[in-house]
Amino acid sequence: MAGTQHASHSIPISKLNMEVDLAISQIPNLKEFVSYLTQTMHSSVPGSLVIWYDSVTIDGTLSWQNQLNEENKPFFDISDGIFVNYLWEEDDPKLSATVAGDRKLDVYMGIDVFGRGTYGGGQWTTNVALEVIKKDDVSAAIFAPGWVYETKQPPDFQTAQNRWWSLVEKSWGIVQNYPKTLPFYSNFDQGRGNHISVDGAQVLSTQWNNISSQTFQPFLEYVDDSTSKTIEVRVDFKEASFNGGGNITFKGTLEAGTSFSTRLFSGQLLTGPLPIYFTYSVKSEGNSQLGLSLELSSETEGKKKLFLASQGTNQFSSEVLLPRRLTTPDNAPGWVMQEVSIAMNGYTLTEIHAVCYKQQPEITNTTEYFAVLGDIKISTSSKNTEFPPSTSWIVNGQDIEWGTSQGSKTLSLKISWKPEDEKGPLFPKYNIYVEKLSKQSIRTLRGTLESVREYIGVAHIEAFYVSQLVIPSDTSSLKFIIQVCNVDGASQNLDDAPFFQLDVQSSTNILSLLFGCLPSLVKNIIAYL
């Protein structure tokens, strides 16, 4: 975890760990290597960092100093920072800051979350070390936060994870605020789940992991005493998702005329003269309603609150805006999409809260509350994203390999695509589907190839590898569809998406070809003999 100077979710960081004894004659070579690596990283990957780990000293001895001092400072001077070993004492952050001078934020004091000799004990007291580090104005390097998962902390991973990171926030604060720029989009995906949805329709129903699919995560506040709140809030993987595999689920009890609010995001978004649009998807039960509360501030006008309410209500003191309801796809039952525009020139959006409340007048007397927030988008336009037509892409199939597995034909290949115009746009995400077209469907529909589109994965570059795809025996061709997805969460209509079509090799044709060659093969063998 870096100090505020380097706080970012996207900085490429290389930690250089040389835990060996070296002949002192090799130290000049090592320094030359560290310097060259740092310079090359900067030129090749702008914004990247090379961090030296506190290990071998300037005399070639493997000796962890647990602070920045003259023994390891020469390596610090030619890199972007130092990761100080975990066994430091209370005064070491201050001593390191003195040695670093103007570069004190480039000193990262190590904390081992497993608590193996680390200051403060790590684990559920990791915040003890963080508070000392923050007081002395250096940075922190948190090692092995997977401790929560690896040691199966009760009561469950999601609850324990939220509890642990709340300790970090309380002692360290929030160093990365978002949204800062537009468009801003989050479907609360953590890169894992039990299903995947696209525009409200579930396309995959098995467990999966893909860290590249993560989006911005909400700043949910953890409350130690669960009895003090009426609504449980969590990033959830079981309830239906609108896009990806995540969502925020709100579940509990709520009396009529009352509300429950929780923070989603802390931002630094300066608004201009043009309106900005908030679009969000909700699925709820009964008379449960879910809205958004926006907190804005201006140096001249002070603070202001806006409440985006999907149903008319007079129970809130802040200004209420009624979103318009957007059309949702037919295959997204239960999902409601809301959109509202605001024009607050010169204001900064500082916080976004979710607000749970009940529809008025009451349609039932129950106090049960349940709602799911699927995604949220903030943009400068209400228009749908315009994607390049399928004809503007060049799509190729490479390394095509046919095989068999348990009696079924299989296919492996690489699919790649690029804009026909080399200056054409590239996108952050592509959903990949396959249509397995049978001879019967082609014959019956005369070219209108209607069949089941099977989701097979996601790509974050312009290539996708298919491995041992099982092909039904009556399949005559395969159509691989690349659904283009924009940074604002929009997905291209599948009928307009680029694709790669491949005829399936017929085993009958292969055998005919083989037997057709036999006479020539026999003649050649006889002639050779």
Side-chain angles (χ1 to χ4, degrees), residues 54 94 111 282 347 385 410 474:
D54 169 27
K94 183 188 298 184
I111 303 173
V282 175
Y347 278 83
T385 302
T410 63
D474 65 342

Side-chain angles (χ1 to χ4, degrees), residues 75-118:
F75 300 110
F76 171 77
D77 291 339
I78 55 178
S79 62
D80 297 307
I82 185 170
F83 185 141
V84 175
N85 191 47
Y86 318 101
L87 304 181
W88 51 269
E89 301 293 340
E90 186 173 1
D91 290 337
D92 287 327
K94 183 188 298 184
L95 295 172
S96 299
T98 301
V99 174
D102 293 340
R103 290 187 61 200
K104 59 185 178 181
L105 289 178
D106 295 336
V107 176
Y108 300 84
M109 305 301 296
I111 303 173
D112 182 358
V113 179
F114 276 81
R116 292 163 288 202
T118 203

Side-chain angles (χ1 to χ4, degrees), residues 482-503:
I482 299 108
Q483 183 181 39
V484 184
C485 303
N486 201 11
V487 67
D488 63 0
S491 302
Q492 187 177 27
N493 187 307
L494 288 176
D495 292 332
D496 302 325
F499 63 89
F500 173 71
Q501 192 152 347
L502 179 66
D503 288 337

Side-chain angles (χ1 to χ4, degrees), residues 259-262 289-293 307 316 353-357 369:
S259 64
F260 171 86
S261 177
T262 187
Q289 300 294 320
L290 183 67
L292 298 179
S293 175
F307 180 50
F316 300 100
H353 291 246
V355 181
C356 305
Y357 64 102
Y369 182 94

Side-chain angles (χ1 to χ4, degrees), residues 388-402:
S390 61
T391 53
S392 66
W393 295 86
I394 299 174
V395 187
N396 292 308
Q398 302 168 289
D399 304 323
I400 298 172
E401 295 183 5
W402 301 95

Side-chain angles (χ1 to χ4, degrees), residues 23 36 130 311:
Y36 178 77
L130 283 170
Q311 295 287 340

